[in-house]
Amino acid sequence: MDKTEILRGDITTLDIDAIVNAANTTLLGGGGVDGAIHRAAGPELLAECRTLGGCEPGQAKITRGYDLSARFVIHTVGPIWRGGTHDEARTLANCYRNSLKLAAENEIRTIAFPAISCGAYGYPIEEAAGIAFKTTREFLAMSDEIQKVIFVVWGEDVYNAYRKNL
Ligand code: APR
């Protein structure tokens, strides 16, 4: 049974175990989904992020969800698209793999991802969607801790690109 699904909407509204943030290396907030998550979680999220010492691209770090319905936020930093010759695909795959690993380690059963790097970081959406699904399905095939992965997409373009992977 496929444990992945696609949802159009605002990731900050989901009442699930964890939502993933498309952050930057400082982990100190930003625009896009990063800004939305910090606004919805409240100032305590930033306070905890300040204790984490940043995050490398492809890595993931976990915090509580504070005022969000989600109990945890997993912060990951996607690659900035530089034409595809700077290991962007491997870094993006690592974002999904490391976020799922961290979720499994924290007994998280339901997790939602935004379209990492598909906004300000300029990753070609079709390719990013393929990496998201392939990496996630590979992980889910190897471990059964996680029961549901929801890809939450905001724009029409991303939604259409993701649907092609169903
Ligand atoms: N819920 C779900 N998806 C959202 C939301 C939301 N509330 N807001 C934006 N998105 C979508 C965007 O439309 C895009 O498809 O999330 C995807 C990722 O876009 P960005 O948020 O721009 O993230 P990214 O491309 O990874 O760039 C990260 O932007 O906000 C800064 O601090 C962040 O420097 C980092 C960079």
Side-chain angles (χ1 to χ4, degrees):
M1 176 268 273
D2 194 350
K3 295 178 180 177
T4 59
E5 70 179 57
I6 300 173
L7 189 67
R8 271 202 81 177
D10 176 354
I11 198 167
T12 65
T13 63
L14 296 189
D15 183 5
I16 56 174
D17 291 344
I19 61 172
V20 176
N21 182 19
N24 59 59
T25 53
T26 70
L27 292 186
L28 300 182
V33 71
D34 195 3
I37 288 175
H38 275 275
R39 269 193 304 281
E44 292 173 286
L45 177 61
L46 182 58
E48 185 175 357
C49 284
R50 284 193 199 288
T51 69
L52 299 178
C55 184
E56 285 303 302
Q59 298 303 308
K61 293 195 175 177
I62 191 166
T63 64
R64 290 177 47 216
Y66 299 102
D67 297 344
L68 286 162
S69 305
R71 282 162 279 297
F72 294 98
V73 180
I74 290 178
H75 306 261
T76 192
V77 179
I80 297 171
W81 178 254
R82 292 191 178 91
T85 55
H86 293 72
D87 242 359
E88 293 98 323
R90 189 214 303 251
T91 303
L92 187 59
N94 285 338
C95 288
Y96 288 95
R97 197 174 302 114
N98 289 324
S99 298
L100 289 165
K101 246 170 71 190
L102 197 49
E105 287 162 9
N106 286 273
E107 286 154 22
I108 287 163
R109 299 277 177 267
T110 53
I111 181 169
F113 283 97
I116 299 166
S117 285
C118 291
Y121 281 2
Y123 209 107
I125 294 173
E126 303 271 336
E127 199 177 323
I131 290 170
F133 270 89
K134 180 172 180 292
T135 312
T136 300
R137 285 178 172 145
E138 282 167 0
F139 183 91
L140 293 175
M142 306 279 284
S143 71
D144 55 8
E145 291 103 335
I146 293 176
Q147 283 150 15
K148 175 68 75 181
V149 177
I150 304 170
F151 294 108
V152 184
V153 290
W154 190 248
E156 179 84 27
D157 51 349
V158 186
Y159 179 64
N160 292 333
Y162 271 65
R163 271 165 52 90
K164 287 186 186 154
N165 287 277
L166 279 182

